[in-house]
C-alpha cells in the first residue's frame, strides 16, 4: 500500500482485444437451418373451385365412356340371354292378381283393367318414393301393397301351385324392399341426454 504522499505507480498496460474467427469459437455458433417447405393442405391451399372442376371432369369422362362402350355391351349381352324365366315369374304373380281383381270388381264402376293399372301404379310410385325419399308414408304404402298382392295371389292362383305362386310373390316384394326399406332398422334407438348443472360456489 502506497502512502498518500508517494507517487502512484502506473497500471500495467492492457493488451488490445483480438477478434476471434467464428470457426475457432468453442462451441461454434449455430448455423441457421434452411426453411422447411410446408405441405399442401387440401382444404386451405387448394381452391375449392379446382376440386369441384376436377370431380366434374372425371364424372363427365366416366359418363362418356359408359355411354360409348358400356351401354352397347350391356344391350348386346341382354339380346343373347334367355329372359323367359323373368316373364314367367312376372306372369305367375301378375295373372292371379288380375284374375282376383276381375272376379271382385263385378258391379263396380271400376273395371278390372283399371284396377290392375292402379295396382301397378301404386306399387311403382310407392317403391320409387320410398327408395328416393325414405318417407314413412311411402314405406307404409309399399308394405300394404306387398301384403295385398300376396293375399290376392294366394286367393286366385290355382290350388296346386298356390304355395309356389305366393312364395314367388313374397320374393318379388322382398327384392323391391331392398330399395324401398333401405336404412330401416328394427333396433330401438336410445338417446342419452346428459345435463350439466353448474352450482354456484358457496
Amino acid at each position: 500500500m502506497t502512502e498518500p504522499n508517494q507517487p502512484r505507480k502506473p497500471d500495467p498496460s492492457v493488451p488490445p482485444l483480438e477478434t476471434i474467427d467464428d470457426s475457432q469459437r468453442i462451441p461454434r455458433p449455430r448455423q441457421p437451418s434452411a426453411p422447411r417447405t410446408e405441405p399442401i393442405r387440401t382444404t386451405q391451399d387448394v381452391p375449392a373451385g379446382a376440386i369441384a372442376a376436377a370431380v366434374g371432369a372425371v364424372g363427365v369422362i366416366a359418363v362418356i365412356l359408359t355411354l360409348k362402350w358400356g351401354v352397347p355391351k350391356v344391350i348386346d349381352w341382354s339380346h343373347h340371354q334367355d329372359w323367359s324365366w323373368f316373364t314367367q315369374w312376372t306372369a305367375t304373380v301378375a295373372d292371379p292378381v288380375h284374375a282376383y281383381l276381375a272376379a271382385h270388381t263385378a258391379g263396380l264402376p271400376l273395371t278390372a283393367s283399371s284396377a290392375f293399372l292402379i295396382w301397378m301404379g301404386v306399387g311403382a310410385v310407392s317403391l320409387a318414393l320410398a327408395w328416393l325419399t325414405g318417407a314413412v308414408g311411402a314405406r307404409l304404402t309399399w308394405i300394404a301393397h306387398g301384403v295385398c298382392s300376396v293375399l290376392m295371389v294366394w286367393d286366385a292362383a290355382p290350388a296346386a301351385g298356390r304355395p309356389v305362386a305366393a312364395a314367388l310373390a313374397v320374393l318379388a316384394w322382398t327384392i323391391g324392399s331392398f330399395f324401398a326399406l333401405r336404412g330401416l332398422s328394427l333396433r330401438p334407438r336410445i338417446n342419452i341426454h346428459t345435463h350439466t348443472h353448474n352450482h354456484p360456489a358457496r
Side-chain angles (χ1 to χ4, degrees):
M1 183 174 180
T2 60
E3 296 295 333
N5 296 328
Q6 293 180 356
R8 185 178 181 182
K9 296 180 180 180
D11 295 334
S13 60
V14 180
L17 297 177
E18 296 181 358
T19 303
I20 302 176
D21 189 48
D22 291 343
S23 60
Q24 297 178 356
R25 293 185 181 182
I26 301 175
R28 295 183 179 181
R30 296 181 60 184
Q31 299 293 332
S33 58
R36 296 182 179 180
T37 58
E38 296 184 358
I40 296 178
R41 298 179 178 86
T42 304
T43 57
Q44 299 178 2
D45 299 337
V46 179
I51 299 177
V55 173
V58 173
V60 170
I61 294 174
V63 171
I64 294 175
L65 294 177
T66 302
L67 294 177
K68 188 173 182 179
W69 286 285
V71 174
K73 290 185 178 181
V74 171
I75 295 175
D76 182 69
W77 173 82
S78 63
H79 288 165
H80 293 82
Q81 301 300 317
D82 184 13
W83 298 101
S84 59
W85 63 271
F86 182 76
T87 56
Q88 293 171 5
W89 188 354
T90 305
T92 302
V93 177
D95 290 350
V97 172
H98 191 276
Y100 181 90
L101 295 175
H104 292 81
T105 54
L108 298 178
L110 185 67
T111 62
S113 300
S114 299
F116 187 72
L117 290 176
I118 293 173
W119 172 76
M120 291 191 300
V122 169
V125 172
S126 61
L127 173 61
L129 290 179
W131 178 29
L132 297 176
T133 65
V136 177
R139 288 179 172 179
L140 292 176
T141 304
W142 170 254
I143 294 174
H145 182 272
V147 173
C148 295
S149 301
V150 173
L151 293 177
M152 288 189 291
V153 170
W154 178 267
D155 185 82
R162 183 174 297 167
V164 175
L168 291 176
V170 171
L171 288 177
W173 180 81
T174 52
I175 291 174
S177 297
F178 279 119
F179 304 96
L181 304 180
R182 64 182 181 88
L184 184 64
S185 177
L186 299 179
R187 295 180 179 179
R189 181 177 296 179
I190 301 175
N191 296 325
I192 301 176
H193 300 279
T194 58
H195 300 279
T196 303
H197 301 282
N198 295 325
H199 299 284
R202 296 180 181 179

